[in-house]
Structures are given as structure tokens and as C-alpha cells.
Amino acid sequence: MKIAYISTYPPRECGIATFNQNLMRAINANFPGRASLSNGGFVVALNDSENMQEYEYPPEVKYVIRQNHQKDYIRAANYINTSVADTCILEHEFGIYGGESGIYILPLLNRLEKPLISILHTVLKDPSYVQRVIIREIAEQSAKVIVMSQRAVEFLTSIYDIPAEKIQIIEHGVPDVEASAENPVKNLSQFKNHRVLLTFGLISRNKGLETVIRALPKIVETHPDVMYVVLGNTHPGVIKNSGEEYRDHLKTLAAQLGVSKHLSFINKFVSEEELVNYLTATEVYVTPYLNEAQITSGTLSYAVGAGAAVVSTPYWHATELLANNRGRLFDFKNAEALADTLNELLDQERVLNELKKNAYAYGLHLRWPVIGAEFIRVAQEACVNHDFRDKILKNSIVDPEIMPKFSLTHVLRLTDDTGIVQHAKYGIPNLKEGYCLDDNSRALIMALMAYQRSKSKEAFELLPIYLSFIHYMQTDDGNFRNFLSFNRQYLDEVGSEDSFGRTIWALGYLIGCAASNSYREFAVELFHRSFPHFKALKHLRGMANTIIGISLYLQAVPGDEGMIIELNRLTQPLLDAYESNQAEDWQWFEEKMTYDNAILPLALLHSCEITGNEKARKTALKAMAFLDKLTLSHGYLSPVGNDGWYFRGGAFPAFDQQAIETMAMVMMHFQAYKIFRTPQYIEKMFLCYKWFLGENTLRAPLYDHETKGCCDGLLPTGINRNQGAESTLAYLVSHLTVLKAFELEYEYNKPGQLFETC
């Protein structure tokens, strides 16, 4: 049997990586003829870095997925499907996969043709909507879901509605080694002549090590030979964000309590053989986690497997594993209770030895070869029962393979410390034209979307530039100017209603998904200062953009009654305009179709999502259908051209086609899918997006693979080669919208869904 493993993998420092390597070895140990790990299959490793050479992986790693690259997941599925693997094992932890809560893993699983076994290392008691969806989808794609505790089974059946027969408990494996007869650890200075309390594993604040340190004064008062040893490196994620701040805090705390001489850090990663030596040289192993929400603890399993006496807080895994006198429990953050428990055990050698004996006996059935044999049985059963023809295999509506790699190169070229420049000559910024609020508001939306998708450092660093530009353009009375010269001189006193509305859209979006509280608070301030000007809006597109901004704001602040009233008030003129102009052959808001047309039904979709306005919903659907019939009837998008507009009964202007038309169409169809859950809207969304890539009237791509910018439009004579901010941002927002839609593939690639309406 050959198995494909999807997981993090050493040398990446990660508990899941170590677990997966141990599982591979455990399974191979049941096949004596296998000389190396790669004989039993291969690993598809998850990288937390863009750099494919970040880790020097061993030979069994045959494929690498970069965490935030959606295409890598699709290609990995194809690699596994065409490999010699008989089955696939997925190690699941939300944080190791890309997208919101790791949702990027779902398209990979949806494409797998091999039987799948999924190991859930975390099962949350209070999952978010997306987390619940992910676990349910993993279970649906899996022949078996493996968990390591009874509590996890209870959660999966009662909270996630996963059938009990699909779930199996296989406990966390432990090293199949015995302590050395001459244990070298006992000769270390921290152990020699000391009674050692030990905690090991990657160090981070949620481990609760300060509880043990606070217990030390009372312990050493009775047992002055006690030493608390913390074995392990600081978690790489903690190092990246805050360095050794936590470790330094613990040292300071020990000094304040006068127990520095009784605390020792061994800052290293140890092999399993070394770890068993450390555990068997220890008097008591302590896991002082801060709350109950720990469904599995590998370190706890290792301690029990090595026959250590364990004292732990009562998190979920500990209450099960330490039952039947295999350990002792104390309450969370209760240093007093911990000190009393440890003093009792240190005083009573017989009781201490009994705990060790019970733990060791239980640990024998947790040893890795035994666990490996259980996984082999599950895998064999999955292979026997698997028929990939039962799985609905169909091409995805969205094909990420044809999409260029997302890049901010041209945006960075156009952006300086003031904001994003309006125009470009070809791919070169045209500084003479200065800046406008319109484009900086679009740029803020795009940068937020890019940061949400991949936590891009480049995108994050753009946010304060665009936000500060918006602030600079706001007048004392809360309105906004639009144009600014390159030497930072205002070129108008009051901007257009379009630029006002787009700014409200950007601020509403920022309030809902700010990367930091300071940005959110700043955006709220600007948003509320502009509020008095909502009532002065007279033009439909200014209203439409503002409606979208208010709707996004209300998703973040749903209880703002005044803003709900304003949303309803602004929605009414769009409905009135439609009623005044619509006819059997003309389902539109005006007597002509001009620019940014899809923004009008898009605004009604946002409005009805918040208010439940049935008339807004029906009007949006009628207007969308009319717009689609006009612009998508040739099998590709041909938006209303800016060369003359489209008057009722007149000729349809094929040119000058603009990128903002396409962006609005992409966003309109995605918003329609989010409300109605009808896959047809995803198809239309992707069809519109492909306008940028060459599926258009001239069969010419507007996206420039060299500059990473987007050309300004389609002319009768060809492409407008200038690559200004408006068109480039329209492309990038469309691209990011499509990638967001692709995360939902698990929904729209399934037939027979029940679709909801607004």
C-alpha cells in the first residue's frame, strides 16, 4: 500500500509535521521490507513561505504547496491523482492551509480521485460559519474522519452534523522506545541533584507556563531541590511576531517571585529518543494550558506514553487521557492548587510511582507501530469501498490555471507616498495628471482584498497611503474633493458624486475588514463625518456606490438604525427610476445605458441583502437579466461602449469598452451568487473576468503580463495601451473577486443545491 500524505513536514518546525513523519514511520514499521519512508508513499508538504527552497525537505517530499497559492492546491490534486498512491491521508489544522480558516484545501479535496482519510487535529466547540463548512466538507469527501478523543466525536456529531459511522477514534501515537539504562539526561546540571518538573513543546502564551512559575515559591519552600525545566524552542510564529518576549516575561516573573534558581530553559528541539530520556528523568510532567479548548495534545500523549507522572489543567484531552488514576488535574490558572498537588505527590513516593505505572501501562497501546497498524486497517477498508466514479467529477466553473499570478507590481509603480497616480503613458506613470480620489478609494478596496487573501506585506503597507489620501481630500464639512495635482494642490472644491460614493464604499469595506483597530476607527470617523452629504446625492451612480458602502458598514455595525433608515432612503430613488423608465423591451433605470452600468443592480443586491427589501431584489434580478442579455449574448462580455452610450431603440456602441464596466459585472454576479447560491452567476462572473484575458470583441487581452498592469480599454482600432490606475485596479479587484469565488467551489460544483433568496 502506498499513501499520499498532505501535511506540513520536517524540517519545518510544527507539531503536525512531526506527527505526520511519525505516522509514516509507524505505517512503514508494519511492512518490514520497506527500506525508506518514500517506499511507502510520498508527502505533499505545506510551505508557510513563498520560497520553495525555504526548507531542505527529505526525499519522501515529492510536491510542495505554498500556503497562499490557490493554483498549487489544484496542481497538487492532479499530481496525487496521477501518482501510484492507493490512498491519501490529510492532516488537518485550520492554520496550515491558505484562505479564511484554511478554505483553500477544499478545491484540492474536491478533485481527489483517491480514497481520502482525514485526521482532524482540532475540532472547535464554537466554530465560525466558515470553519464549520470546512469540517463538514472534509468529512463529506473522506472515507473516514479520524479524531483522537471521544469529545471530538461528540462535537462532530452534535455541532457539525457528521454521521457517527464516518468517524473513528485513533489515539495520538507515542514513541516506541524505552529509556536508556544509563540515562544521560540525569547528569545534566538542571537534573543532577534536583527533583525536576518538566514541560516541553513549542513555547507560546497559550501554554500557561506562568501558572507553574507562580506555584514555585510554595513548592520550593517544602522541596528546595525542585527545578522547573521548560524544554523546547519558542514557536516560530511567535518568534516572527514578538521574538522572545514571552520567554523573557517568564524569566522576569521568576525573578520577581524569587525562584529564578528553580527555573531553567533548555531552548532546543530534541529527538524522540532524547525526549523519552528527559521524561523518564522527570519527577512530574506538567501541562498548564489556559483553557479547556484543547481537543488533542501530542505532548501530553508523549508524557503518558513514556510513563511520566502527569499533572495537568482539565482541558478536553487531559480529562480523557488522565482518567483512571493516570494523572492528576488542577483548575486553570490556579497556581495555589497546582502547588498543593505537586507537594502532595513529591511527599508521597508511592502515589507518584503508581501514577507512573498506570500511565506506562496505558501508553503501551499508544506506541506508534500499534497506531500505524490501525491506520493501515482504515486505509485498506477505504480502498476496498472506494469507487471514484461515484464521485461527481466535473470541470470547475472557475479555472484558476488560466488566471495570471496576482501581482501588485504595476500598482506599486503607480503609487508614491501621496497616493496612486491617475494615468500612465503605456506602463509608465504620467505624473502630469496627478491623483484622484476615485482611484485611491478603489486602490484601498483592492489592497484590503489582497491583504485578506494572503496577508500580503506589500498590500498592508499600501493601506495607510490610500487611507491618508482619502483623509487629505475630505473637506472640513465632511465632503470630499476629487482631484489633486502632482505637487499636492487641490484642483477642485467639491468632487463628483461618483467619487464621493466610491469613497463611502471604500470606507464601509474598511470598517468591515480592517487590518487593525486604528484603521477601523479612522475609517469610522471619516465615514460619519461624510454622513450629512448622503442626503444631497442626486445622481443614481453616486447613490449606488454610497448604498454599497452603507451596506458594507451595516454588516459590521448591524445595530445602527439611523444608517438603516438612510439605506432605505437611498434605495428608493433607484427603484423609482426603474419604474419610471422600464418597459417590456427596456428593463433599465434610465432612458440610456452609459457607464459603470452594473453598479446599479449591484447596489440593489447589497441593499436587499441588508434590508430584505423584496422590491429591490426583484428589480435587481430584472435589471441584471436585461444587462446580461445585452452584453453576454455572444458568449463573451461586450460591455456598453463609452463611444456614444446606448439609447433605447438606438445602436449598441461596441467601443470604447472600459475596464470598470467589467469590474462591476464581475462583482454584480458574485454578489448575486452570495445571495441566491445559483452556480449560473459564478459562470457569468468568470466569463466577464475573461474579458481582461482576451475573451472580448477584439479577442485581444488587456492584461499585460510584462508590466502586470491593465490597458485602458478596447477601441475600434485596437487596444488603448495606456495602463492607468482605474483599469489596473478594475482588473485586480476582478481577479481577487474571482479568487474569492473559487474558495466556494465546494458549493457551486455540486448539483441539486437548495438555493436561498434574499
Side-chain angles (χ1 to χ4, degrees), residues 681-740:
Y681 292 122
I682 297 292
E683 286 188 71
K684 290 181 177 180
M685 176 207 69
F686 195 54
L687 183 62
C688 293
Y689 166 77
K690 289 189 286 188
W691 179 88
F692 291 106
L693 306 185
E695 293 198 24
N696 52 46
T697 308
L698 295 181
R699 290 292 188 258
L702 285 90
Y703 178 74
D704 187 330
H705 290 266
E706 181 181 359
T707 66
K708 315 302 182 189
C710 180
C711 298
D712 280 351
L714 286 182
L715 305 172
T717 53
I719 298 173
N720 181 341
R721 293 289 310 285
N722 295 331
Q723 296 172 18
E726 180 181 282
S727 56
T728 295
L729 292 168
Y731 167 75
L732 292 174
V733 169
S734 300
H735 185 105
L736 290 164
T737 301
V738 170
L739 290 179
K740 186 67 179 173

Side-chain angles (χ1 to χ4, degrees), residues 297-339:
S297 170
T299 59
L300 180 67
S301 297
Y302 278 29
V304 170
V310 180
V311 175
S312 174
T313 49
Y315 54 89
W316 294 325
H317 193 203
T319 57
E320 290 186 34
L321 194 53
L322 301 183
N324 299 320
N325 202 32
R326 291 191 291 269
R328 292 288 183 85
L329 301 175
F330 70 98
D331 202 12
F332 300 105
K333 302 181 183 179
N334 192 334
E336 186 79 13
L338 173 60

